[in-house]
Amino acid sequence: MNIYVLSLGFGLITASILAIASVGFTLQFGVTNILNLAYGDVMTGCAFVAYLVTRAGGSLPEALIAGAGTGALASYGLNRFVYTPFVRRGTRMFGMIIVTISVSLALQNGLQAIFKATFFSLALPRPSSYTFAGMIFTSQQLVIMGLAVAAMLLVHSLLSWTKLGRAMRATAADPELARSCGIATDRVIDLAWLLSGALCGTAGVALALNVTSFTSTAGGQFLIPIIAAAVLGGVGQPYGAMIGAVVIGLSAELSAAVISPSYKEVVAFLILIVVLLIRPQGIFAEVATQKEVVA
Amino acid sequence: MSSSMQFYISNLLVYLAVDVMACLGLNLQFGVAGLINLAFIVFQAAGAYTAAVLTLGPSSSMGGFQSYVLGAHLPFPLPLLAAAVVGGALSYIVGLVALRRLRTDYQAMVMLVISLIATTVVTNATGLFNGSNGLALIPRPLQSVLGLSPVGYQWFYVALSFACTMIVWVVVRRITGSPLGRTLRAVRDNDAAAMSLGKNVTQMRLTAFVTGGAIAGFSGAILAQYISAWSPGSWLFPESFVYFSAVIVGGAGNNMGAVVGAALVPVAFLEATRYIPQFGYPGLVDALQWVVVGLLTLAVMWFRPRGVFPERTRRFARTPGSEPRP
């Protein structure tokens, strides 16, 4: 029909992937206050696991489960065996940024060394496509949007209605107070990284599913829109990240239609910078906290 | 010494000089003032492009095979100085918006994003600096005037870059050894305390940021004029991290550490190993190099978080009379 309606469709898919990824990212940051710049590269790793599963004849659900599982274990391991020891050893926020970039660089290039710097795509049967009101979606893209909605509902129910969700929110708000109230913050943090890692892995597989081909830098490049969505909604606020994802996803794809596809990332970047300058606490957070990293 | 050996050594020495300058600049920003400038390489690139377009002459002069802005033929020291000015001016603009009241991690994010935006814009706006192909055939300073043999010119360039490094060293030492340097360290360690003593924290940070940016631009000009080509591939985001890695390995906050770090990480690890035989498929060695730089940084952060040459702890002698009475 027309290009804007089409881009709106692309925007919804990008927003879905972003929502899964940025809610995971914001949970990690909210609970431990570590800005995990290796998040995108863990996503790439999960996409490669999904690739291997589909190459071995696995179906899409199997690939998704494998990707989410890898993401959960990798993120848990990263926090438990790399980040937490550094924090306990006295590395502060300042140094943790360098630590996470080091991990990101090693991970990204490690993947490149193993898989070579070429293009990959998931070996899945060709999807059928559907048209809704001028927007075209493949069946795989419908799966991505379904996953996003399911993930958001899951995170919402977890945070609002379960004991674990309340414990997570308490740990994010004030870890010491949470500890003195009898919350086993160590376990809560482990579970938060497992959960956010599963989201990270799912987003990685969704990212690989949505593009015709991906490389070892795919997740790293996707990190900035993820950060933009998370910051826009207020870092550490899962609901904010969801709304941020929709705003960033739609504005990136619509600006690709209006300006030029090569500048679509720049728009997301500029939104991030403007938000950081005008309202660094994000649109939905009430206070900008000056917290330190938590082990 | 055979001439190929001379080329090899002089080449490494020029890279060493450029990396030492860059590390001194980054150390001023990161080690002394505590600013995580993940866009450091952008300011080096800005200086490189400035020097390039100011020596290449008008864009149409060489059959118009590359397009860029501001073509001019300036004589020798002017393009280098202009590069430093542009590096500093760009830092001032970025610093004005990025260094205000943002948490350290948010500042780092802004810088990371600026680095990516700069790459995207320069790659896509082909009229600016010839897009992703970059600029080539950048004239080398004084090459036509001196009339030296290729090897002789190599050694001239080594001398030139070492002289520039000495200038940068003196400038940086003057800052870090002065009351300004002391204030910068105070701002880094406890900005609230520095503010309560009446120090203008933002102003102090901006001073370090602009000086570091000017040094970055200057080093970029020396580098681009040496390799006589410059493209977005030369200044991707991970290149900033190499300098961070160097400063951390050497010892953040210590100028000597920055020099040693520059010799160890960018030169020994990345430049010198370009000459070892390639194994595996093309690109494998490059990927593994980055893995090693990442792991090396992690190892140093773990085992020697203050680097090979830790920042000197400054102690003040007790003033007479303040001794506790027996």
Side-chain angles (χ1 to χ4, degrees):
Chain A
M1 204 165 77
N2 89 38
I3 185 169
Y4 299 109
V5 179
L6 263 182
S7 344
L8 190 68
F10 294 147
L12 285 176
I13 302 158
T14 309
S16 303
I17 305 173
L18 260 182
I20 305 174
S22 56
V23 168
F25 181 82
T26 221
L27 274 177
Q28 290 182 353
F29 191 81
V31 175
T32 40
N33 234 351
I34 293 172
L35 183 70
N36 180 15
L37 294 176
Y39 190 84
D41 303 299
V42 176
M43 272 174 71
T44 321
C46 299
F48 274 113
V49 168
Y51 164 78
L52 292 177
V53 168
T54 58
R55 277 288 300 273
S59 63
L60 176 57
E62 284 164 359
L64 276 166
I65 291 168
T70 311
L73 289 179
S75 301
Y76 165 79
L78 199 55
N79 182 56
R80 176 91 350 239
F81 302 113
V82 183
Y83 296 161
T84 304
F86 267 108
V87 173
R88 295 231 163 110
R89 216 179 153 96
T91 313
R92 289 296 133 209
M93 189 185 282
F94 192 68
M96 284 312 289
I97 294 172
I98 305 291
V99 169
T100 66
I101 300 179
S102 306
V103 170
S104 155
L105 209 61
L107 204 53
Q108 182 175 328
N109 286 285
L111 286 170
Q112 186 171 324
I114 297 167
F115 289 95
K116 301 187 187 177
T118 47
F119 296 91
F120 297 89
S121 43
L122 300 185
L124 289 168
R126 240 179 114 77
S128 40
S129 52
Y130 305 89
T131 312
F132 292 105
M135 297 181 275
I136 304 167
F137 299 113
T138 65
S139 50
Q140 295 175 349
Q141 289 171 329
L142 292 177
V143 169
I144 294 175
M145 286 196 275
L147 273 176
V149 173
M152 297 310 105
L153 289 176
L154 190 82
V155 170
H156 170 70
S157 358
L158 179 84
L159 288 179
S160 16
W161 296 323
T162 66
K163 216 172 162 186
L164 172 64
R166 278 203 299 276
M168 265 184 208
R169 284 187 294 157
T171 309
D174 190 334
E176 268 168 43
L177 190 58
R179 246 193 304 269
S180 65
C181 292
I183 296 173
T185 49
D186 273 8
R187 217 160 56 230
V188 171
I189 288 172
D190 282 349
L191 286 169
W193 279 76
L194 277 173
L195 173 69
S196 63
L199 290 168
C200 171
T202 311
V205 181
L207 187 66
L209 199 57
N210 187 41
V211 291
T212 45
S213 60
F214 66 96
T215 66
S216 51
T217 57
Q221 285 165 354
F222 202 63
L223 181 68
I224 301 299
I226 295 173
I227 295 181
V231 169
L232 182 61
V235 192
Q237 310 273 322
Y239 303 110
M242 295 177 198
I243 295 167
V246 174
V247 172
I248 299 285
L250 289 182
S251 56
E253 295 297 339
L254 285 174
S255 63
V258 177
I259 312 166
S260 144
S262 47
Y263 284 105
K264 81 175 180 191
E265 275 112 27
V266 174
V267 173
F269 297 172
L270 288 178
I271 293 178
L272 172 59
I273 290 187
V274 169
V275 171
L276 282 175
L277 292 176
I278 298 174
R279 222 180 133 75
Q281 69 272 44
I283 291 173
F284 302 98
E286 275 108 42
V287 280
T289 45
Q290 187 78 42
K291 290 196 298 185
E292 256 301 345
V293 282
V294 180
Chain B
M1 204 178 345
S2 71
S3 75
S4 65
M5 196 65 195
Q6 292 200 32
F7 263 107
Y8 173 71
I9 290 173
S10 55
N11 188 46
L12 278 188
L13 288 175
V14 173
Y15 274 105
L16 175 66
V18 169
D19 291 333
V20 166
M21 279 188 268
C23 286
L24 284 170
L26 181 64
N27 186 40
L28 188 62
Q29 294 180 341
F30 170 71
V32 179
L35 304 168
I36 303 193
N37 181 6
L38 292 178
F40 186 77
I41 201 76
V42 171
F43 303 100
Q44 194 180 43
Y49 280 124
T50 307
V53 296
L54 291 181
T55 47
L56 272 167
S59 174
S60 55
S61 65
M62 281 179 285
F65 85 101
Q66 48 188 4
S67 53
Y68 46 85
V69 291
L70 285 175
H73 271 304
L74 294 188
F76 161 61
L78 293 179
L80 293 182
L81 297 177
V85 170
V86 167
L90 193 64
S91 298
Y92 185 73
I93 297 167
V94 170
L96 269 189
V97 285
L99 298 185
R100 290 180 321 154
R101 73 198 179 87
L102 286 182
R103 287 167 41 159
T104 325
D105 45 354
Y106 282 31
Q107 277 177 6
M109 270 195 268
V110 171
M111 292 304 175
L112 171 62
V113 168
I114 284 173
S115 185
L116 298 172
I117 290 184
T119 307
T120 315
V121 168
V122 172
T123 308
N124 288 303
T126 45
L128 201 57
F129 300 117
N130 207 32
S132 58
N133 291 331
L135 300 171
L137 298 180
I138 303 165
R140 293 176 150 197
L142 301 178
Q143 193 172 28
S144 50
V145 184
L146 291 171
L148 292 167
S149 67
V151 173
Y153 187 77
Q154 284 287 114
W155 289 111
F156 163 74
Y157 210 92
V158 170
L160 173 69
S161 50
F162 271 67
C164 292
T165 308
M166 283 315 296
I167 296 170
V168 167
W169 171 263
V170 169
V171 169
V172 170
R173 274 303 295 267
R174 297 272 310 199
I175 294 177
T176 55
S178 69
L180 173 61
R182 199 160 57 230
T183 314
L184 285 172
R185 282 186 289 269
V187 168
R188 173 196 67 191
D189 292 339
N190 191 338
D191 56 352
M195 223 179 296
S196 73
L197 290 173
K199 303 293 180 191
N200 186 341
V201 169
T202 310
Q203 190 63 48
M204 290 296 156
R205 285 187 172 140
L206 203 54
T207 310
F209 195 68
V210 170
T211 317
I215 293 171
F218 189 63
S219 74
I222 300 276
L223 181 60
Q225 294 206 315
Y226 175 69
I227 52 183
S228 84
W230 194 252
S231 68
S234 324
W235 52 282
L236 295 175
F237 159 69
E239 304 285 343
S240 291
F241 185 75
V242 172
Y243 288 136
F244 269 94
S245 182
V247 170
I248 289 165
V249 169
N254 184 329
N255 291 325
M256 207 49 225
V259 174
V260 172
L264 286 178
V265 180
V267 175
F269 251 126
L270 295 179
E271 299 302 337
T273 52
R274 282 186 214 281
Y275 303 94
I276 63 169
Q278 294 276 329
F279 57 91
Y281 55 87
L284 176 63
V285 172
D286 287 340
L288 290 179
Q289 271 182 350
W290 286 107
V291 174
V292 170
V293 169
L295 295 180
L296 171 77
T297 314
L298 280 182
V300 171
M301 295 281 291
W302 181 261
F303 291 109
R304 235 187 130 81
R306 304 186 63 216
V308 179
F309 284 95
E311 184 179 6
R312 193 161 47 91
T313 317
R314 286 159 175 83
R315 290 176 190 283
F316 298 96
R318 274 214 188 120
T319 45
S322 72
E323 304 285 330
R325 278 167 204 278

